Amino acid sequence: MYMQWTDRIRQVKIMLVVAAVVIAVASLIVSHYLVRDLAIEEKSKMEVWAEAMRTLSQQDENTDLTLVLKVIEENNTIPVVVVDGNGNVQTFRNVGLKAETFADSLSQAAVLAHRMSNEGRYIRIQLDDTQEYIDVCYDESVMIKRLNLYPYVQLGVVMIFVIVAIFALMTSKKAEQNKVWVGLSKETAHQLGTPISSLMAWTEILKETYPDDSLIPEMDKDVKRLQLIAERFSKIGSLPEPVPTSLNEVMAHVVEYMDRRTSQKVKMITHFPAQDIIVKVNASLFEWVIENLCKNAVDAMEGSGTITLDMQEQGDSVSIEVSDTGKGIKKRDIGNVFKPGFTTKKRGWGLGLSLAKRIVEEYHKGKIYVKSSEVGKGTTFRIELKK
């Protein structure tokens, strides 16, 4: 179910990104053609406007000034600056200038005209048969500038939408995961409760019936172990309250348990401080984390090697490292080891490290990660907790 949901999320994310790219490309293409057509149209208007300026400069008694002035006055959108052959500004329209005096305005207009001319946006008009001329320099209208920016604004909006949609999908995915964890944990604890109670009663009867039997205490330990497992599942299904606990004792319990349950070929080395390190944790759940790391180490070493548990105190934090001499983790798999369902073993659900991450990060507000791993040499997991 998880893998199907993950695949579905991945497909939706890919579709959203593809849709965003398609929309962006389409917007850029459409905007390009619109801007090109408008630029051609504006250039034609400016040619007519320039011709009107030429007519105005060469007017005589036969010139229809009404039509000429109407053409000049109708340009209310295209910025234009008219300069003579010496670069002196003759007139300007639709140019936003921030100047306190008329001289400053002319100076700023001259700078704009120079820029327009360098960009090739000018029309040269010869005056009579002399060498004199004027340049009608023009810029893009506000509409074209807005159209040039529009696709990028639209792309930004689409990207924001995609990010929000992906975030919502990931939040929904996490919420569904939490429901699955809680439901599964509570149901497991509930199902284990009845047979464990029955086994506890039977062991008490066996103790009374066969008080000298050496196997019954071992059976009792296994029943209590089952009870502890049920308790852990019950706590995962809720939000356990961490209490001040000695990490030294927690780690010692794990080492003792692993020593009894693993081969003599597995050697466990511990490096713990002499003084107790007190941290707020839920002891049974945190023991589960260390047990999972140790069991994974045993599997990685195929029942033969060394597990090193190192605990250090640094200021207001504590670090715990679990190292093995196993086969290591491939670099491409390091980022997936904590994902539910991921496993390199032929048998297994791939939930151990996922549970460990949940317990450390969500219940104890700590961090767990692969500190180092080398194929053929071993792996080191690191846990960091605040004191």
Side-chain angles (χ1 to χ4, degrees):
M1 178 180 177
Y2 172 80
M3 295 304 294
Q4 290 177 348
W5 177 252
T6 302
D7 290 341
R8 199 181 311 135
I9 291 291
R10 189 180 295 111
Q11 290 171 1
V12 172
K13 286 195 290 186
I14 292 172
M15 288 173 61
L16 285 171
V17 172
V18 169
V21 172
V22 169
I23 291 172
V25 171
S27 297
L28 287 170
I29 293 173
V30 171
S31 176
H32 170 73
Y33 283 108
L34 283 174
V35 169
R36 187 194 64 178
D37 293 343
L38 280 173
I40 293 172
E41 183 178 346
E42 287 189 355
K43 186 176 180 181
S44 299
K45 288 181 178 178
M46 290 314 302
E47 288 174 349
V48 173
W49 198 88
E51 183 62 27
M53 286 297 298
R54 188 186 66 79
T55 303
L56 184 63
S57 64
Q58 298 176 354
Q59 62 176 309
D60 54 26
E61 64 277 4
N62 297 320
T63 303
D64 186 357
L65 289 178
T66 304
L67 180 59
V68 171
L69 292 174
K70 183 179 180 182
V71 170
I72 293 173
E73 292 296 329
E74 279 185 350
N75 174 28
N76 297 312
T77 57
I78 304 173
V80 59
V81 180
V82 179
V83 294
D84 60 20
N86 298 319
N88 299 317
V89 177
Q90 302 297 305
T91 185
F92 54 84
R93 286 183 64 84
N94 307 320
V95 178
L97 300 176
K98 296 180 181 179
E100 295 180 358
T101 64
F102 183 70
D104 291 339
S105 296
L106 290 178
S107 176
Q108 291 182 22
V111 172
L112 288 174
H114 182 69
R115 176 180 64 80
M116 296 172 189
S117 179
N118 288 338
E119 292 175 356
R121 294 194 184 96
Y122 70 95
I123 299 171
R124 180 158 294 177
I125 302 172
Q126 292 295 143
L127 299 178
D128 297 327
D129 296 330
T130 66
Q131 297 296 320
E132 294 184 8
Y133 64 87
I134 60 173
D135 284 340
V136 177
C137 304
Y138 62 93
D139 202 358
E140 293 177 337
S141 66
V142 175
M143 181 63 70
I144 289 183
K145 290 179 179 178
R146 287 176 179 174
L147 280 174
N148 279 325
L149 289 174
Y150 171 74
Y152 299 102
V153 173
Q154 188 179 33
L155 178 60
V157 172
V158 171
M159 290 307 298
I160 291 172
F161 167 77
V162 170
I163 291 170
V164 170
I166 291 175
F167 177 77
L169 286 170
M170 298 304 294
T171 303
S172 174
K173 169 189 167 185
K174 189 172 183 180
E176 183 164 326
Q177 278 183 330
N178 288 338
K179 289 181 181 178
V180 171
W181 283 124
V182 171
L184 178 62
S185 301
K186 286 185 176 180
E187 182 63 20
T188 302
H190 175 72
Q191 294 294 335
L192 287 173
T194 302
I196 289 173
S197 299
S198 179
L199 287 170
M200 291 176 68
W202 280 111
T203 52
E204 291 301 321
I205 293 172
L206 288 171
K207 284 179 185 178
E208 294 176 1
T209 308
Y210 306 100
D212 300 326
D213 195 315
S214 61
L215 294 178
I216 293 176
E218 293 301 319
M219 291 174 59
D220 188 49
K221 288 180 182 178
D222 288 334
V223 172
K224 287 180 179 177
R225 178 69 185 175
L226 282 173
Q227 189 178 17
L228 176 61
I229 292 171
E231 180 189 350
R232 287 172 174 173
F233 275 111
S234 176
K235 288 178 178 177
I236 282 187
S238 58
L239 190 61
E241 185 68 28
V243 295
T245 308
S246 169
L247 275 186
N248 301 59
E249 292 182 9
V250 171
M251 299 296 289
H253 289 162
V254 175
V255 172
E256 181 185 357
Y257 171 76
M258 293 301 300
D259 272 339
R260 294 200 312 266
R261 295 296 190 276
T262 55
S263 166
Q264 295 297 319
K265 295 180 181 180
V266 175
K267 184 180 180 182
M268 299 195 71
I269 301 174
T270 59
H271 300 293
F272 301 156
Q275 75 280 8
D276 270 356
I277 297 179
I278 307 300
V279 179
K280 278 190 173 184
V281 297
N282 182 280
S284 62
L285 288 183
F286 199 77
E287 283 181 19
W288 199 1
V289 172
I290 306 301
E291 284 175 19
N292 268 320
L293 294 178
C294 290
K295 287 176 180 177
N296 282 346
V298 172
D299 291 337
M301 297 186 301
E302 297 179 347
S304 177
T306 302
I307 299 175
T308 304
L309 291 94
D310 184 87
M311 183 164 59
Q312 293 184 3
E313 186 177 17
Q314 299 113 1
D316 61 346
S317 65
V318 179
S319 66
I320 299 169
E321 292 184 1
V322 180
S323 306
D324 62 61
T325 56
K327 57 187 177 183
I329 304 171
K330 296 177 181 177
K331 286 186 178 180
R332 67 170 182 268
D333 293 333
I334 289 178
N336 298 319
V337 294
F338 293 106
K339 292 182 179 178
F342 178 83
T343 180
T344 57
K345 295 181 286 188
K346 293 181 180 179
R347 298 177 62 185
W349 292 87
L351 295 176
L353 289 176
S354 176
L355 277 170
K357 185 177 179 69
R358 181 182 178 87
I359 292 169
V360 171
E361 296 188 354
E362 293 193 22
Y363 294 163
H364 295 93
K365 308 305 178 185
K367 289 173 63 179
I368 180 171
Y369 55 92
V370 179
K371 181 183 178 183
S372 62
S373 185
E374 189 173 347
V375 176
K377 291 191 176 181
T379 302
T380 298
F381 283 88
R382 183 181 176 91
I383 299 171
E384 296 176 359
L385 297 174
K386 292 290 184 181
K387 291 179 62 178

